[in-house]
Amino acid sequence: MSADDNSTRTNFIRNIIDEDLAAGRNGGRVATRFPPEPNGYLHIGHAKSICLNFGIAQDYNGTCNLRFDDTNPHKENVEFVEAIQRDVHWLGYDWGDRLYYASDYFEQLYELACELIRRGKAYVCDLSPEQIRDYRGTLTRPGKDSPYRDRSVDENLDLFARMRAGEFEDGARILRARIDMASPNMNMRDPAIYRIRRGAVHHQTGEAWCIYPMYDFTHCISDSIEGITHSLCTLEFEDHRPLYDWFLDTLEMECHPRQIEFSRLELQYTVTSKRRLTELVEEGHVEDWDDPRMPTIAGLRRRGYTPASIRDFCERIGVTKSENNVEMGVLENCVREDLNRTAPRRMAVLHPLKVVIENYPEGEVEELEAPNHPQDETMGTRRLPFTRELYIEQDDFREQAPRKFKRLVSGGEVRLRNAYVIRCERVIKDSRGEIVELRCSYDPDTLSKNPEGRKVKGVIHWVSAAHAVEAELRLYDRLFNHPSPAAARDGADYRAHLNPDSLLTLTHCRLESSLANAQPGEHFQFERQGYFCVDPDHSHDRPVFNRTVTLRDSWARIEQQQKEAS
RNA sequence: UGGGGCGUCGCCAAGCGGUAAGGCACUGGGUUUUGAUCUCAGCAUACGCAGGUUCGAAUCCUGCCGCCCCAGCCA
């Protein structure tokens, strides 16, 4: 694939697989699966699971299935089914012809449930949801048996068939596993395995069913049917493993996958729970699932993150069972590293300040050649029109220079990137005292060479006023201003920590002319500013770029320190 | 308070009885027409705490402490 793939680290799951292989288990076969529920968009946490499952399949010459865990028709839909496939593909993984739905197995699942009944290991229970909760007991008190626990096999079979036939109201009855109401593991206290959902329209099976199997029953059997060898899931399912094993053992399934749990990814300054992401979208705190501030795969893509950078990130954070809280800096470092290598350089002025080169002939246009990448000649060059009137960054000029400031000051010199050295001769202000224009002179003998007898330390970017493309630049910052918005000590709802300044839209930015035919999805480094990508909303008439991430900025840090010192 | 997990540098994370990898962050130096990149150097006498076993422990034993998960007809 790409540069990030030759340094695969090991982790405890790979170690377990190595041991299984060494012990000759599963006939040397490795089969994993990525099993999303299509009830929302995939996020960075899913990326971790995707890279783990598909990555293992690749490295062990095995297979990884994509399987939709679609057992809850109330929450799922095809929009999500399609978005998930798009995102997994975009991340760089391919499931070939192994696209499955748990709903593919509904008939088998039903038959297996009947088998459980025949073996005396499942029963139809008429208790209401409230009664079931009551009978379940608490964490410290055992539950008590349902009065329906000892129905005959025939009665159970009959009732279950009638549940399927739609004879009973939603909630009137459920099918339960018959295990142990006194188990210290709550999951083993006769868990529900089928519930009634009449009138639900399932995105895959339509109205064929009015009973739907529960996760615990469905998941292990789906894994078994598909011949999965290692079923990887997150830590909260650790308590479910005895149940996973119980179903497969009780039904004497031929294939018994090994469930292994790892900790889910926590990323600072964001939320990664589908419930909260759904709320952010539905309550309008963000534009949509693909809002560039969202930690969704779609959002990261629109923000300008590359598949390789996300894979690299997943590699770097590792896979363990300990809780973690990864800093945004790690993710950001991954894109910077990838984009530094691959993104062509361009110049863009975010906050324009007019500069007139007084000793440059009016009407003249010089075509200067500039490399697309300072370290990679193979990326070629492009032409920059140089003229008498330019724009530079407001922030690159100060009337009074702070300590260590090496940009343009009154009477001082600075290098225009890929062009000449200029000197600021005069500052023009409006009636309110605001600087509106700089009158400068240029040294014609400084193109591609240093001036005689003096050092010019600073280099700033610029664009030709007459040729500039006017564009909208969207600058993004973290969505939340608290490192753990969902677990803040102040007890406030995560929404209280939403960052009001997470999006700053700049509408009159000036870009170098070569950007006129940029295409949606393209990445660039706007020198000295950051990495940007062309937004899907972009058009030739209304250019729109998103800032993926800023460049590292040691000047900002120095300036900050000076501010704090004074 | 029942059960299941986890505790190694600011954040991740190797380590599996032989005397603390690596990445990110941070600090300082060099190169540089991006204060970018690149590059060099520094950054845990210490592995939640307390005992014990051992010539030797982050790794084994015991006891504490802290944090997370579980009482959906969600996944």
Side-chain angles (χ1 to χ4, degrees), chain A residues 71 171 197 239 320 345 407 417 448 525 552 554:
Chain A
T71 58
R197 289 284 117 96
D239 289 344
T320 67
R345 311 290 122 126
R407 279 116 88 151
R417 176 78 163 148
S448 311
Q525 183 198 96
R552 259 196 208 86
S554 54

mmCIF file of all heavy atoms in Angstrom, chain A residues 71 171 197 239 320 345 407 417 448 525 552 554, chain B residues 3 11-13 25 27 33-37 73 75:
data_model
loop_
_atom_site.group_PDB
_atom_site.id
_atom_site.type_symbol
_atom_site.label_atom_id
_atom_site.label_comp_id
_atom_site.label_asym_id
_atom_site.label_seq_id
_atom_site.Cartn_x
_atom_site.Cartn_y
_atom_site.Cartn_z
ATOM 1 N N THR A 71 -29.621 -5.956 13.222
ATOM 2 C CA THR A 71 -30.709 -6.665 13.892
ATOM 3 C C THR A 71 -31.714 -5.732 14.551
ATOM 4 O O THR A 71 -32.628 -6.190 15.232
ATOM 5 C CB THR A 71 -30.146 -7.610 14.972
ATOM 6 O OG1 THR A 71 -29.376 -6.830 15.903
ATOM 7 C CG2 THR A 71 -29.274 -8.674 14.352
ATOM 8 N N GLY A 171 -43.574 -6.455 22.687
ATOM 9 C CA GLY A 171 -43.374 -6.443 24.136
ATOM 10 C C GLY A 171 -44.183 -7.467 24.904
ATOM 11 O O GLY A 171 -43.982 -7.646 26.106
ATOM 12 N N ARG A 197 -41.068 -7.052 16.912
ATOM 13 C CA ARG A 197 -41.052 -5.702 16.318
ATOM 14 C C ARG A 197 -42.009 -5.706 15.142
ATOM 15 O O ARG A 197 -41.586 -5.705 13.979
ATOM 16 C CB ARG A 197 -39.641 -5.356 15.804
ATOM 17 C CG ARG A 197 -38.595 -5.091 16.856
ATOM 18 C CD ARG A 197 -38.780 -3.716 17.471
ATOM 19 N NE ARG A 197 -39.092 -3.852 18.890
ATOM 20 C CZ ARG A 197 -38.186 -3.771 19.877
ATOM 21 N NH1 ARG A 197 -36.943 -3.541 19.604
ATOM 22 N NH2 ARG A 197 -38.555 -3.902 21.120
ATOM 23 N N ASP A 239 -17.626 -8.915 29.306
ATOM 24 C CA ASP A 239 -18.610 -9.629 30.133
ATOM 25 C C ASP A 239 -19.551 -10.498 29.303
ATOM 26 O O ASP A 239 -20.270 -11.326 29.837
ATOM 27 C CB ASP A 239 -19.484 -8.625 30.894
ATOM 28 C CG ASP A 239 -18.715 -7.936 32.000
ATOM 29 O OD1 ASP A 239 -17.643 -8.432 32.360
ATOM 30 O OD2 ASP A 239 -19.202 -6.904 32.496
ATOM 31 N N THR A 320 -4.348 -2.194 22.819
ATOM 32 C CA THR A 320 -4.139 -2.773 24.143
ATOM 33 C C THR A 320 -5.487 -2.894 24.846
ATOM 34 O O THR A 320 -6.531 -2.602 24.256
ATOM 35 C CB THR A 320 -3.255 -1.877 25.044
ATOM 36 O OG1 THR A 320 -3.974 -0.665 25.328
ATOM 37 C CG2 THR A 320 -1.943 -1.543 24.359
ATOM 38 N N ARG A 345 3.196 22.806 -3.032
ATOM 39 C CA ARG A 345 3.204 24.084 -2.320
ATOM 40 C C ARG A 345 2.537 25.149 -3.165
ATOM 41 O O ARG A 345 2.693 25.166 -4.393
ATOM 42 C CB ARG A 345 4.639 24.518 -1.998
ATOM 43 C CG ARG A 345 5.552 23.458 -1.345
ATOM 44 C CD ARG A 345 5.185 23.114 0.064
ATOM 45 N NE ARG A 345 4.908 21.697 0.190
ATOM 46 C CZ ARG A 345 5.497 20.874 1.072
ATOM 47 N NH1 ARG A 345 6.413 21.297 1.902
ATOM 48 N NH2 ARG A 345 5.115 19.626 1.150
ATOM 49 N N ARG A 407 10.092 39.648 9.921
ATOM 50 C CA ARG A 407 9.319 39.870 8.698
ATOM 51 C C ARG A 407 9.468 41.341 8.292
ATOM 52 O O ARG A 407 10.482 41.958 8.571
ATOM 53 C CB ARG A 407 7.855 39.477 8.947
ATOM 54 C CG ARG A 407 7.667 37.980 8.828
ATOM 55 C CD ARG A 407 7.246 37.233 10.073
ATOM 56 N NE ARG A 407 5.826 37.158 10.285
ATOM 57 C CZ ARG A 407 5.192 36.179 10.927
ATOM 58 N NH1 ARG A 407 5.885 35.126 11.402
ATOM 59 N NH2 ARG A 407 3.921 36.238 11.125
ATOM 60 N N ARG A 417 8.858 35.353 -1.094
ATOM 61 C CA ARG A 417 9.097 33.953 -1.442
ATOM 62 C C ARG A 417 9.084 33.743 -2.955
ATOM 63 O O ARG A 417 8.157 34.203 -3.633
ATOM 64 C CB ARG A 417 7.991 33.112 -0.791
ATOM 65 C CG ARG A 417 8.028 31.639 -1.125
ATOM 66 C CD ARG A 417 9.080 30.923 -0.333
ATOM 67 N NE ARG A 417 8.856 29.485 -0.362
ATOM 68 C CZ ARG A 417 9.812 28.581 -0.326
ATOM 69 N NH1 ARG A 417 11.089 28.968 -0.244
ATOM 70 N NH2 ARG A 417 9.528 27.310 -0.343
ATOM 71 N N SER A 448 16.502 34.822 -7.088
ATOM 72 C CA SER A 448 17.303 33.598 -6.923
ATOM 73 C C SER A 448 18.697 33.852 -6.379
ATOM 74 O O SER A 448 19.596 33.049 -6.591
ATOM 75 C CB SER A 448 17.462 32.855 -8.260
ATOM 76 O OG SER A 448 16.228 32.719 -8.881
ATOM 77 N N GLN A 525 -0.202 22.598 0.203
ATOM 78 C CA GLN A 525 0.301 23.305 1.362
ATOM 79 C C GLN A 525 0.316 24.767 0.975
ATOM 80 O O GLN A 525 0.957 25.138 -0.012
ATOM 81 C CB GLN A 525 1.729 22.883 1.736
ATOM 82 C CG GLN A 525 2.186 23.607 3.009
ATOM 83 C CD GLN A 525 3.690 23.597 3.216
ATOM 84 O OE1 GLN A 525 4.388 24.531 2.859
ATOM 85 N NE2 GLN A 525 4.182 22.505 3.787
ATOM 86 N N ARG A 552 3.464 23.490 11.727
ATOM 87 C CA ARG A 552 4.046 23.731 13.046
ATOM 88 C C ARG A 552 4.512 25.174 13.047
ATOM 89 O O ARG A 552 5.045 25.655 12.047
ATOM 90 C CB ARG A 552 5.246 22.828 13.275
ATOM 91 C CG ARG A 552 4.915 21.658 14.137
ATOM 92 C CD ARG A 552 6.155 21.000 14.660
ATOM 93 N NE ARG A 552 5.836 19.600 14.871
ATOM 94 C CZ ARG A 552 5.926 18.681 13.933
ATOM 95 N NH1 ARG A 552 6.383 18.995 12.748
ATOM 96 N NH2 ARG A 552 5.588 17.452 14.189
ATOM 97 N N SER A 554 6.738 27.639 15.258
ATOM 98 C CA SER A 554 7.546 27.959 16.441
ATOM 99 C C SER A 554 7.559 29.465 16.717
ATOM 100 O O SER A 554 7.818 29.895 17.833
ATOM 101 C CB SER A 554 8.969 27.433 16.282
ATOM 102 O OG SER A 554 9.546 27.897 15.100
ATOM 103 P P G B 3 -17.279 -11.344 43.426
ATOM 104 O OP1 G B 3 -16.661 -12.656 43.724
ATOM 105 O OP2 G B 3 -16.620 -10.098 43.862
ATOM 106 O "O5'" G B 3 -17.533 -11.252 41.863
ATOM 107 C "C5'" G B 3 -18.114 -12.345 41.167
ATOM 108 C "C4'" G B 3 -18.338 -11.975 39.726
ATOM 109 O "O4'" G B 3 -19.210 -10.818 39.664
ATOM 110 C "C3'" G B 3 -17.098 -11.507 38.972
ATOM 111 O "O3'" G B 3 -16.287 -12.592 38.541
ATOM 112 C "C2'" G B 3 -17.735 -10.773 37.801
ATOM 113 O "O2'" G B 3 -18.277 -11.660 36.851
ATOM 114 C "C1'" G B 3 -18.879 -10.039 38.520
ATOM 115 N N9 G B 3 -18.430 -8.716 38.953
ATOM 116 C C8 G B 3 -18.072 -8.308 40.210
ATOM 117 N N7 G B 3 -17.685 -7.063 40.252
ATOM 118 C C5 G B 3 -17.788 -6.621 38.940
ATOM 119 C C6 G B 3 -17.497 -5.359 38.359
ATOM 120 O O6 G B 3 -17.080 -4.339 38.917
ATOM 121 N N1 G B 3 -17.735 -5.348 36.982
ATOM 122 C C2 G B 3 -18.197 -6.421 36.266
ATOM 123 N N2 G B 3 -18.371 -6.221 34.960
ATOM 124 N N3 G B 3 -18.478 -7.605 36.797
ATOM 125 C C4 G B 3 -18.255 -7.630 38.120
ATOM 126 P P C B 11 -0.294 11.624 31.289
ATOM 127 O OP1 C B 11 -1.626 11.479 31.913
ATOM 128 O OP2 C B 11 0.778 10.647 31.612
ATOM 129 O "O5'" C B 11 -0.473 11.671 29.721
ATOM 130 C "C5'" C B 11 -1.591 12.322 29.141
ATOM 131 C "C4'" C B 11 -1.684 11.940 27.693
ATOM 132 O "O4'" C B 11 -0.530 12.445 26.981
ATOM 133 C "C3'" C B 11 -1.625 10.443 27.440
ATOM 134 O "O3'" C B 11 -2.883 9.837 27.660
ATOM 135 C "C2'" C B 11 -1.188 10.398 25.986
ATOM 136 O "O2'" C B 11 -2.229 10.716 25.110
ATOM 137 C "C1'" C B 11 -0.155 11.528 25.961
ATOM 138 N N1 C B 11 1.213 11.045 26.241
ATOM 139 C C2 C B 11 1.943 10.492 25.187
ATOM 140 O O2 C B 11 1.420 10.426 24.067
ATOM 141 N N3 C B 11 3.199 10.051 25.415
ATOM 142 C C4 C B 11 3.719 10.133 26.632
ATOM 143 N N4 C B 11 4.968 9.689 26.810
ATOM 144 C C5 C B 11 2.996 10.677 27.729
ATOM 145 C C6 C B 11 1.751 11.113 27.490
ATOM 146 P P C B 12 -2.969 8.271 27.833
ATOM 147 O OP1 C B 12 -4.373 7.978 28.142
ATOM 148 O OP2 C B 12 -1.900 7.806 28.723
ATOM 149 O "O5'" C B 12 -2.672 7.754 26.362
ATOM 150 C "C5'" C B 12 -2.128 6.485 26.177
ATOM 151 C "C4'" C B 12 -1.789 6.315 24.715
ATOM 152 O "O4'" C B 12 -0.798 7.304 24.325
ATOM 153 C "C3'" C B 12 -1.134 4.987 24.432
ATOM 154 O "O3'" C B 12 -2.121 3.995 24.225
ATOM 155 C "C2'" C B 12 -0.308 5.295 23.202
ATOM 156 O "O2'" C B 12 -1.114 5.353 22.053
ATOM 157 C "C1'" C B 12 0.217 6.680 23.553
ATOM 158 N N1 C B 12 1.439 6.623 24.387
ATOM 159 C C2 C B 12 2.636 6.215 23.786
ATOM 160 O O2 C B 12 2.636 5.935 22.576
ATOM 161 N N3 C B 12 3.756 6.124 24.548
ATOM 162 C C4 C B 12 3.706 6.431 25.834
ATOM 163 N N4 C B 12 4.841 6.328 26.545
ATOM 164 C C5 C B 12 2.512 6.857 26.472
ATOM 165 C C6 C B 12 1.403 6.939 25.715
ATOM 166 P P A B 13 -2.014 2.633 25.066
ATOM 167 O OP1 A B 13 -3.068 1.744 24.556
ATOM 168 O OP2 A B 13 -1.921 2.955 26.501
ATOM 169 O "O5'" A B 13 -0.588 2.055 24.623
ATOM 170 C "C5'" A B 13 -0.282 1.882 23.238
ATOM 171 C "C4'" A B 13 1.181 1.566 23.098
ATOM 172 O "O4'" A B 13 1.987 2.672 23.556
ATOM 173 C "C3'" A B 13 1.656 0.385 23.919
ATOM 174 O "O3'" A B 13 1.334 -0.819 23.229
ATOM 175 C "C2'" A B 13 3.162 0.656 23.984
ATOM 176 O "O2'" A B 13 3.788 0.291 22.770
ATOM 177 C "C1'" A B 13 3.201 2.188 24.099
ATOM 178 N N9 A B 13 3.313 2.663 25.484
ATOM 179 C C8 A B 13 2.319 3.074 26.325
ATOM 180 N N7 A B 13 2.748 3.475 27.502
ATOM 181 C C5 A B 13 4.124 3.321 27.417
ATOM 182 C C6 A B 13 5.171 3.565 28.317
ATOM 183 N N6 A B 13 4.975 4.062 29.554
ATOM 184 N N1 A B 13 6.427 3.302 27.917
ATOM 185 C C2 A B 13 6.615 2.809 26.691
ATOM 186 N N3 A B 13 5.722 2.534 25.743
ATOM 187 C C4 A B 13 4.484 2.820 26.175
ATOM 188 P P A B 25 5.095 16.219 17.623
ATOM 189 O OP1 A B 25 4.421 17.212 16.768
ATOM 190 O OP2 A B 25 6.531 15.907 17.418
ATOM 191 O "O5'" A B 25 4.899 16.610 19.161
ATOM 192 C "C5'" A B 25 3.650 17.111 19.618
ATOM 193 C "C4'" A B 25 3.725 17.361 21.100
ATOM 194 O "O4'" A B 25 4.012 16.117 21.794
ATOM 195 C "C3'" A B 25 4.836 18.289 21.560
ATOM 196 O "O3'" A B 25 4.467 19.643 21.411
ATOM 197 C "C2'" A B 25 4.949 17.906 23.037
ATOM 198 O "O2'" A B 25 3.920 18.458 23.809
ATOM 199 C "C1'" A B 25 4.786 16.388 22.964
ATOM 200 N N9 A B 25 6.081 15.722 22.838
ATOM 201 C C8 A B 25 6.670 15.212 21.708
ATOM 202 N N7 A B 25 7.848 14.686 21.920
ATOM 203 C C5 A B 25 8.066 14.875 23.275
ATOM 204 C C6 A B 25 9.140 14.546 24.123
ATOM 205 N N6 A B 25 10.244 13.924 23.699
ATOM 206 N N1 A B 25 9.030 14.874 25.427
ATOM 207 C C2 A B 25 7.925 15.496 25.853
ATOM 208 N N3 A B 25 6.841 15.855 25.150
ATOM 209 C C4 A B 25 6.985 15.510 23.863
ATOM 210 P P U B 27 9.321 23.841 24.012
ATOM 211 O OP1 U B 27 8.924 25.197 24.434
ATOM 212 O OP2 U B 27 9.303 23.469 22.586
ATOM 213 O "O5'" U B 27 10.766 23.515 24.585
ATOM 214 C "C5'" U B 27 11.070 23.751 25.961
ATOM 215 C "C4'" U B 27 12.499 23.354 26.220
ATOM 216 O "O4'" U B 27 12.634 21.916 26.078
ATOM 217 C "C3'" U B 27 13.499 23.910 25.215
ATOM 218 O "O3'" U B 27 13.883 25.236 25.538
ATOM 219 C "C2'" U B 27 14.659 22.931 25.389
ATOM 220 O "O2'" U B 27 15.427 23.197 26.536
ATOM 221 C "C1'" U B 27 13.911 21.614 25.558
ATOM 222 N N1 U B 27 13.741 20.889 24.289
ATOM 223 C C2 U B 27 14.802 20.120 23.846
ATOM 224 O O2 U B 27 15.849 20.031 24.456
ATOM 225 N N3 U B 27 14.591 19.466 22.656
ATOM 226 C C4 U B 27 13.452 19.502 21.885
ATOM 227 O O4 U B 27 13.417 18.845 20.839
ATOM 228 C C5 U B 27 12.401 20.328 22.403
ATOM 229 C C6 U B 27 12.574 20.978 23.554
ATOM 230 P P U B 33 18.616 29.757 1.976
ATOM 231 O OP1 U B 33 19.444 29.690 0.746
ATOM 232 O OP2 U B 33 19.161 30.338 3.223
ATOM 233 O "O5'" U B 33 17.266 30.489 1.599
ATOM 234 C "C5'" U B 33 16.436 31.070 2.608
ATOM 235 C "C4'" U B 33 15.102 31.330 1.975
ATOM 236 O "O4'" U B 33 15.274 32.207 0.872
ATOM 237 C "C3'" U B 33 14.449 30.069 1.441
ATOM 238 O "O3'" U B 33 13.322 29.844 2.230
ATOM 239 C "C2'" U B 33 14.023 30.414 0.007
ATOM 240 O "O2'" U B 33 12.630 30.248 -0.166
ATOM 241 C "C1'" U B 33 14.293 31.898 -0.092
ATOM 242 N N1 U B 33 14.689 32.410 -1.384
ATOM 243 C C2 U B 33 13.647 32.875 -2.184
ATOM 244 O O2 U B 33 12.495 32.809 -1.843
ATOM 245 N N3 U B 33 14.027 33.414 -3.376
ATOM 246 C C4 U B 33 15.306 33.545 -3.842
ATOM 247 O O4 U B 33 15.481 34.075 -4.924
ATOM 248 C C5 U B 33 16.343 33.030 -2.962
ATOM 249 C C6 U B 33 16.001 32.497 -1.783
ATOM 250 P P U B 34 13.135 28.840 3.329
ATOM 251 O OP1 U B 34 13.839 29.300 4.543
ATOM 252 O OP2 U B 34 13.387 27.495 2.806
ATOM 253 O "O5'" U B 34 11.576 28.957 3.584
ATOM 254 C "C5'" U B 34 10.916 30.246 3.534
ATOM 255 C "C4'" U B 34 9.528 30.021 4.093
ATOM 256 O "O4'" U B 34 8.867 29.034 3.298
ATOM 257 C "C3'" U B 34 9.556 29.515 5.533
ATOM 258 O "O3'" U B 34 8.811 30.479 6.270
ATOM 259 C "C2'" U B 34 8.822 28.206 5.537
ATOM 260 O "O2'" U B 34 7.726 28.251 6.444
ATOM 261 C "C1'" U B 34 8.194 28.127 4.141
ATOM 262 N N1 U B 34 8.191 26.816 3.515
ATOM 263 C C2 U B 34 6.944 26.231 3.436
ATOM 264 O O2 U B 34 5.937 26.756 3.910
ATOM 265 N N3 U B 34 6.909 25.030 2.808
ATOM 266 C C4 U B 34 7.968 24.364 2.256
ATOM 267 O O4 U B 34 7.770 23.294 1.698
ATOM 268 C C5 U B 34 9.243 25.026 2.380
ATOM 269 C C6 U B 34 9.300 26.206 3.002
ATOM 270 P P G B 35 9.475 31.174 7.491
ATOM 271 O OP1 G B 35 8.274 31.522 8.244
ATOM 272 O OP2 G B 35 10.419 32.172 7.010
ATOM 273 O "O5'" G B 35 10.432 30.202 8.232
ATOM 274 C "C5'" G B 35 10.659 29.129 8.878
ATOM 275 C "C4'" G B 35 10.801 29.382 10.365
ATOM 276 O "O4'" G B 35 10.663 30.782 10.649
ATOM 277 C "C3'" G B 35 9.721 28.637 11.121
ATOM 278 O "O3'" G B 35 10.386 27.596 11.770
ATOM 279 C "C2'" G B 35 9.195 29.657 12.152
ATOM 280 O "O2'" G B 35 9.562 29.287 13.497
ATOM 281 C "C1'" G B 35 9.991 30.909 11.863
ATOM 282 N N9 G B 35 9.384 32.248 11.883
ATOM 283 C C8 G B 35 8.361 32.780 11.196
ATOM 284 N N7 G B 35 8.156 34.055 11.459
ATOM 285 C C5 G B 35 9.127 34.366 12.385
ATOM 286 C C6 G B 35 9.451 35.571 13.050
ATOM 287 O O6 G B 35 8.915 36.659 12.928
ATOM 288 N N1 G B 35 10.506 35.430 13.916
ATOM 289 C C2 G B 35 11.199 34.249 14.118
ATOM 290 N N2 G B 35 12.190 34.274 14.988
ATOM 291 N N3 G B 35 10.947 33.119 13.503
ATOM 292 C C4 G B 35 9.897 33.249 12.663
ATOM 293 P P A B 36 10.333 26.199 11.875
ATOM 294 O OP1 A B 36 9.730 25.806 13.169
ATOM 295 O OP2 A B 36 11.692 25.809 11.532
ATOM 296 O "O5'" A B 36 9.380 25.710 10.679
ATOM 297 C "C5'" A B 36 7.998 25.514 10.918
ATOM 298 C "C4'" A B 36 7.434 24.711 9.777
ATOM 299 O "O4'" A B 36 7.660 25.427 8.540
ATOM 300 C "C3'" A B 36 8.085 23.357 9.543
ATOM 301 O "O3'" A B 36 7.539 22.371 10.387
ATOM 302 C "C2'" A B 36 7.724 23.109 8.097
ATOM 303 O "O2'" A B 36 6.394 22.709 7.945
ATOM 304 C "C1'" A B 36 7.911 24.509 7.496
ATOM 305 N N9 A B 36 9.266 24.691 7.012
ATOM 306 C C8 A B 36 10.262 25.466 7.546
ATOM 307 N N7 A B 36 11.399 25.391 6.886
ATOM 308 C C5 A B 36 11.142 24.492 5.872
ATOM 309 C C6 A B 36 11.932 23.971 4.833
ATOM 310 N N6 A B 36 13.206 24.297 4.652
ATOM 311 N N1 A B 36 11.360 23.109 3.976
ATOM 312 C C2 A B 36 10.085 22.780 4.164
ATOM 313 N N3 A B 36 9.221 23.199 5.105
ATOM 314 C C4 A B 36 9.830 24.058 5.928
ATOM 315 P P U B 37 8.438 21.200 10.905
ATOM 316 O OP1 U B 37 7.520 20.241 11.531
ATOM 317 O OP2 U B 37 9.561 21.770 11.686
ATOM 318 O "O5'" U B 37 9.057 20.551 9.586
ATOM 319 C "C5'" U B 37 8.230 19.786 8.712
ATOM 320 C "C4'" U B 37 9.027 19.385 7.493
ATOM 321 O "O4'" U B 37 9.573 20.579 6.866
ATOM 322 C "C3'" U B 37 10.248 18.528 7.765
ATOM 323 O "O3'" U B 37 9.891 17.164 7.895
ATOM 324 C "C2'" U B 37 11.078 18.780 6.518
ATOM 325 O "O2'" U B 37 10.590 18.042 5.423
ATOM 326 C "C1'" U B 37 10.826 20.274 6.278
ATOM 327 N N1 U B 37 11.861 21.122 6.885
ATOM 328 C C2 U B 37 13.101 21.149 6.262
ATOM 329 O O2 U B 37 13.348 20.511 5.261
ATOM 330 N N3 U B 37 14.041 21.947 6.873
ATOM 331 C C4 U B 37 13.873 22.700 8.012
ATOM 332 O O4 U B 37 14.813 23.371 8.444
ATOM 333 C C5 U B 37 12.553 22.626 8.596
ATOM 334 C C6 U B 37 11.616 21.855 8.028
ATOM 335 P P C B 73 -33.893 -6.170 28.417
ATOM 336 O OP1 C B 73 -34.914 -5.806 29.409
ATOM 337 O OP2 C B 73 -32.821 -7.135 28.735
ATOM 338 O "O5'" C B 73 -34.610 -6.678 27.109
ATOM 339 C "C5'" C B 73 -33.891 -6.884 25.890
ATOM 340 C "C4'" C B 73 -34.866 -6.679 24.759
ATOM 341 O "O4'" C B 73 -36.109 -7.303 25.128
ATOM 342 C "C3'" C B 73 -35.137 -5.210 24.496
ATOM 343 O "O3'" C B 73 -34.666 -4.955 23.194
ATOM 344 C "C2'" C B 73 -36.663 -5.049 24.582
ATOM 345 O "O2'" C B 73 -37.185 -4.528 23.379
ATOM 346 C "C1'" C B 73 -37.156 -6.506 24.663
ATOM 347 N N1 C B 73 -38.330 -6.767 25.493
ATOM 348 C C2 C B 73 -39.571 -6.744 24.852
ATOM 349 O O2 C B 73 -39.610 -6.437 23.670
ATOM 350 N N3 C B 73 -40.679 -7.053 25.557
ATOM 351 C C4 C B 73 -40.588 -7.380 26.824
ATOM 352 N N4 C B 73 -41.699 -7.699 27.461
ATOM 353 C C5 C B 73 -39.348 -7.395 27.506
ATOM 354 C C6 C B 73 -38.246 -7.090 26.805
ATOM 355 P P A B 75 -29.532 -5.271 19.251
ATOM 356 O OP1 A B 75 -30.234 -5.731 18.051
ATOM 357 O OP2 A B 75 -29.419 -6.150 20.431
ATOM 358 O "O5'" A B 75 -28.061 -4.817 18.861
ATOM 359 C "C5'" A B 75 -27.829 -3.921 17.783
ATOM 360 C "C4'" A B 75 -26.424 -3.377 17.910
ATOM 361 O "O4'" A B 75 -26.312 -2.666 19.167
ATOM 362 C "C3'" A B 75 -25.333 -4.442 17.991
ATOM 363 O "O3'" A B 75 -24.932 -4.877 16.704
ATOM 364 C "C2'" A B 75 -24.223 -3.704 18.736
ATOM 365 O "O2'" A B 75 -23.519 -2.848 17.880
ATOM 366 C "C1'" A B 75 -25.025 -2.863 19.734
ATOM 367 N N9 A B 75 -25.173 -3.550 21.031
ATOM 368 C C8 A B 75 -26.100 -4.486 21.387
ATOM 369 N N7 A B 75 -25.972 -4.919 22.625
ATOM 370 C C5 A B 75 -24.882 -4.227 23.114
ATOM 371 C C6 A B 75 -24.219 -4.223 24.357
ATOM 372 N N6 A B 75 -24.596 -4.988 25.383
ATOM 373 N N1 A B 75 -23.159 -3.406 24.514
ATOM 374 C C2 A B 75 -22.779 -2.644 23.479
ATOM 375 N N3 A B 75 -23.320 -2.550 22.261
ATOM 376 C C4 A B 75 -24.375 -3.372 22.140
#
